[in-house]
Each structure stands twice: as structure tokens, then as C-alpha cells.
């Protein structure tokens, strides 16, 4: 099977649920590996074991199972997926092309060829490969969604939105398809109620929340169905009449619209992306409350850090993607060399925060919830007391800059109008487009992308230089030491 699109739904889950999903995949891989040791000549079992190892996030072990050389088209596709997950894109592309030559009527090699070419920025060739896959299996919604992601990354948004609606064939919306909001150039919603529903990850909802006031400006009554973590922040948006949390029975409505269908409904194109910021607004009382627990503006530059995305073990093939977009926090160590950074300490109790506040300089503030590790920096960590994105928004409102990998923190800070340095992986999400260091979605965002797969060293080096320049430009204003 072709790997799922990079934008497969990333629904929220508890840490316990995430652990269960991860453990289940690891147990499945171990079970297959044990069976293979008893029957090493079973080609089908070898194939199943390699697939299980890839899903468990161990592509190197999958390649070992497939060695010395995959001979069938299916094995070549699996080897290509493993090489892709390891960042060996040219090798992966060669394996997929060999698979296509062996099985030209199988859409899987063609879809995977499109995947790699999309990452490499050869969009015309990528789309031709996706077209070839769809011609072989036109009813397969996954192929349509894969092509939509390639079109989006190429900036061809008008063409992409219709394809992306095929995701409903993979996971039908909760509400009737016949009531799905049509394109707004075909209907008027004046006086009508539109139920907008959280669909994918927290970051996706924060990204597309910009459309909610736009619905209201067209005369719609906007009801939003949101996870509790987002409900208060969304309720504060202009034009949102009410916010419901999961389990609530919605009032009568005329149309419903999952968040990811809003750009389609508005006919968004690259040159019509709505980017008026801020469109998110923190609670003033929470901003004041958190200000008392963070360094004051006169005490220096306050920089938020997030280094890992939300693990999504329920999403097929997401383990490898999350590993590529997340960062070992130890890699952030070079930031300590920026002039004015508060020296690292060994204590982690509340006194560290008080001591950090007492000195002028650059103060790092963690925005990472439930971290598996912390960077070797003097870090103020308010996150144990954070319960919703309303708290996180209030913390970000007290910062001068946010540095983050591609996760919900980027969309929160961008929607609040804060300067953001995005640490971006080589095979980046479609919304950051290709070959750009800016974003039409967030005017205050600057992209630092890996020049090659898995190369965080170059990214951290560039961000360290940029932070030093940013601090220098704000030195007088923030009273930083010279």
C-alpha cells in the first residue's frame, strides 16, 4: 500500500492512549519478527514483518528483514518507504521506479514516486505520477488525497481543495454529507447557522480558525464544536456565537463544515490567503496572571521554545513523520552561546524562575507540554500549570519571540501575531510551501528549513545566528547587556 498522506487526521489523544497505540505497533512488530525467525523462508511473512517494523517506526530493521535485495514489486515499495523514512530520498525513488517497472498496473509505486518527487520540489513530475496512480485506481480516495497534498505544497490551491474532500471517503464526517457547506460563491449564508467542527490536530484548527470571523461577516451564525483545550480561545473570536465541547448536542443548523473544508468553501488561492493578524486573542486576565510568573519586559528578551510535536500513534505511518519533525532537545544547546543568554543552572525548582527573572538577558521559556527531555539551557517551565490553549496563549502573549518545530505552538503564536522562527523538516508540511523562508499564512513567521533530510545542525546554526541578530536589534529596547 502507498503510505498515507502527510496530512492524515491527527485527532487529539491522551498520553496514555498515545502510549497504547505506540506499544501496540511495537508488539505487532515483535510478534511478526518472532514468527519470521521460526519461518525465515516465508516471503509473505517477511513482507508483513517489514511492514510492521515500518509502522512501529523502525525502518532500519525493516530494511534488514528485506535484505539482501527485495525482488518483488511489493518488497521494493516497502524498502522504498523505509529508505524514505530514513531520509534517503534518491534511493527510495529508485526503488519505487523499479517497482513500477515490475508492476506497471499497480498504483502503489506511482503514488510513492509522486510522494518523493513532491518532497524534492519537482511538482509537475510528482503530479504526473499521481495522475498515473489515479488512472489505475480512480476510486481510491487515498490517492486523491495524496495528490491534493502535492497540489497544496505546489501552491495550486484551487485545484487541491476538491481532491482533499475525498478524505471523507476514508473517514466520513460526523454530520450528514448532504449538509456539508457548499462553496460560498454558490450560496448565501446570511441568516443561516453554520456548525464548524474541529477535525484534525490542534494546530490545524488554530490555523483555519481565521475563517470563523469571515463566516460571520457573510451573515452566518457561527457555532463551533471544539475540544475543551481550544474552546475558550475560540469562543473569544469575533463572530463566534457559541462554542460547544465534545458530547454536546448542537442546536439546529443549516450547514456544517469541518475546519479543513473552510479554505475550499472560500475558494482560497495562494494570492487570496486571509492573513490579517492577530485573529486569536488571549484572555487579558490570564495574560496579567502569567506576566507575574515570567520575566518582565524590562528584564530582557523572552523566547519561547517548543521542540517536539504531538505523538499520534493512532495515525498510520505517523511515528516516522513525528520523529522527522521533532527535535532532540540537546540539539538546542548552541542557543546558549548567543550573547546575553541566561547561564544554565542545575536546579529545576521555582527558585530558577525567580533567579532568571532577577537578571537582564535572554530568557528561554518552555512551551513544551509533557516533554520527554529538556534542552541544556536555563529554562523557565510554566507548562506543568497549563491546562488549555488559553493558558498557552497568555504565556505566548508575554513573550517576544517563539522558536518551535512544526506543531500547534507555531499556529498559536502566528495567530497571535508574535514573531516565530519555525524549525522545519526537509519534507515539510504542505502549508509551508516550497523554497520559501516566509509564509503567506503568517506574516510574522520565518522558516528555517533543513537543507537536506535530518540535518538539524544547519537549522540550529542558522537560528542561533538569527536569534543573536534579533537580540541585537532589540538590545536597547529590552535593556539587554551589551
Amino acid at each position: 500500500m502507498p503510505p498515507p498522506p502527510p496530512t492524515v487526521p491527527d485527532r487529539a489523544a491522551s498520553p496514555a492512549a498515545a502510549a497504547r497505540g505506540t506499544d501496540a505497533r511495537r508488539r505487532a512488530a515483535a510478534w511478526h519478527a518472532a514468527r519470521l525467525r521460526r519461518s525465515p523462508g516465508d516471503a509473505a511473512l517477511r513482507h508483513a514483518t517489514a511492514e510492521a517494523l515500518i509502522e512501529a517506526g523502525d525502518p532500519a530493521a525493516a530494511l534488514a528483514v528485506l535484505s539482501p535485495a527485495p525482488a518483488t514489486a511489493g518488497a521494493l515499495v516497502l524498502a522504498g518507504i523505509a529508505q524514505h523514512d530514513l531520509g534517503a530520498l534518491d534511493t527510495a525513488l529508485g526503488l519505487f521506479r523499479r517497482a513500477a517497472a515490475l508492476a506497471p498496473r499497480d498504483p502503489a509505486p506511482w503514488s510513492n514516486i509522486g510522494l518523493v518527487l513532491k518532497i524534492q520540489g519537482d511538482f509537475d513530475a510528482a503530479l504526473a505520477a499521481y495522475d498515473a496512480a489515479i488512472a489505475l485506481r480512480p476510486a481510491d480516495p487515498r490517492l486523491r488525497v495524496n495528490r491534493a497534498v502535492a497540489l497544496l505544497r505546489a501552491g495550486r490551491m484551487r485545484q487541491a481543495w476538491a481532491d482533499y474532500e475525498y478524505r471523507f471517503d476514508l473517514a466520513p464526517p460526523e454530520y450528514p454529507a448532504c449538509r456539508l457547506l457548499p462553496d460560498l460563491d454558490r450560496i448565501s449564508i446570511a441568516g443561516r447557522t453554520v456548525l464548524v467542527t474541529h477535525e484534525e490536530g490542534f494546530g490545524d484548527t488554530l490555523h483555519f480558525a481565521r475563517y470563523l470571523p469571515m463566516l460571520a461577516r457573510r451573515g452566518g451564525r457561527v457555532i463551533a464544536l471544539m475540544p475543551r483545550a481550544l474552546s475558550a480561545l475560540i469562543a473569544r473570536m469575533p463572530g463566534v456565537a457559541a462554542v460547544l465541547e465534545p458530547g454536546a448536542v448542537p442546536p439546529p443548523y443549516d450547514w456544517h463544515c469541518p475546519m479543513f473544508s473552510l479554505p475550499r468553501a472560500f475558494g482560497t488561492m495562494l494570492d487570496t490567503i486571509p492573513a490579517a493578524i492577530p485573529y486569536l486573542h488571549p484572555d487579558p486576565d490570564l495574560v496579567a496572571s502569567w506576566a507575574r510568573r515570567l520575566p518582565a519586559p524590562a528584564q530582557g528578551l523572552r523566547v519561547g521554545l517548543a521542540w517536539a510535536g504531538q505523538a499520534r500513534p493512532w495515525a498510520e505511518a505517523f511515528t516516522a513523520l513525528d520523529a522527522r519533525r521533532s527535535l532532540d532537545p540537546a540539539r538546542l544547546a548552541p542557543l546558549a552561546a548567543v550573547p546575553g543568554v541566561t547561564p544554565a543552572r542545575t536546579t529545576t525548582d521555582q527558585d530558577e524562575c525567580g533567579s532568571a527573572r532577577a537578571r537582564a538577558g535572554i530568557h528561554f521559556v518552555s512551551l513544551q507540554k509533557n516533554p520527554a527531555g529538556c534542552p541544556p539551557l536555563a529554562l523557565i517551565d510554566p507548562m506543568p500549570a497549563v491546562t488549555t490553549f488559553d493558558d498557552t496563549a497568555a504565556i505566548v502573549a508575554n513573550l517576544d519571540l517563539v522558536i518551535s518545530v512544526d506543531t500547534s505552538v507555531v499556529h498559536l503564536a502566528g495567530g497571535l501575531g508574535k514573531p516565530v522562527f519555525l524549525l522545519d523538516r526537509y519534507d515539510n508540511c504542505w502549508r509551508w510551501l516550497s523554497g520559501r523562508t516566509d509564509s503567506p499564512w503568517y506574516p510574522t513567521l520565518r522558516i528555517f528549513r533543513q537543507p537536506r533530510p535530518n540535518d538539524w545542525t544547519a537549522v540550529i546554526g542558522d537560528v542561533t545566528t538569527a536569534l543573536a541578530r534579533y537580540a541585537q536589534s532589540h538590545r536597547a529596547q529590552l535593556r539587554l547587556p551589551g
Side-chain angles (χ1 to χ4, degrees), residues 10 24 165 233 241 281 288 297 343 352 354-355 363 374-376 405 412 445 460:
D10 54 346
E165 297 292 273
L233 186 62
H281 305 279
E352 178 182 332
S355 177
H363 306 283
C374 289
V405 297
L412 178 64
L445 183 142
I460 299 302

Side-chain angles (χ1 to χ4, degrees), residues 2 92-93 96-97 100-101 103-120 122-138 140 142-148 150-151 156 163:
L93 184 59
F96 294 143
R97 283 178 166 155
R105 303 297 300 172
D106 182 354
W110 293 107
S111 180
N112 283 287
I113 289 169
L115 171 69
V116 175
L117 291 171
K118 175 202 69 179
I119 293 170
Q120 294 177 331
D122 190 349
F123 296 112
D124 288 339
L127 292 167
Y130 282 126
D131 288 344
I134 290 169
L136 292 168
R137 194 181 294 166
D140 190 331
R142 179 171 293 189
L143 299 177
R144 300 275 185 168
V145 174
N146 282 341
R147 184 173 66 178
L151 286 164
R156 304 175 193 180
D163 264 359

Side-chain angles (χ1 to χ4, degrees), residues 389-476:
F389 276 91
D390 230 20
D391 288 309
T392 311
I395 293 169
V396 171
N398 282 287
L399 304 180
D400 301 291
L401 172 70
V402 169
I403 300 175
S404 176
V405 297
D406 186 6
T407 187
S408 56
V409 166
V410 168
H411 300 285
L412 178 64
L416 291 166
K418 285 290 178 179
V420 182
F421 289 175
L422 169 62
L423 312 178
D424 202 19
R425 67 185 191 271
Y426 181 79
D427 58 322
N428 59 294
C429 174
W430 65 264
R431 73 195 81 212
W432 310 127
L433 301 168
S434 179
R436 295 182 66 146
T437 59
D438 68 330
S439 170
W441 295 101
Y442 299 109
T444 60
L445 183 142
R446 181 177 174 189
I447 300 170
F448 296 81
R449 183 166 297 132
Q450 292 176 344
R452 59 194 66 84
N454 304 319
D455 184 0
W456 286 118
T457 300
V459 171
I460 299 302
D462 290 344
V463 167
T464 300
T465 301
L467 177 59
R469 290 174 179 167
Y470 189 91
Q472 181 64 38
S473 67
H474 290 72
R475 195 167 299 280

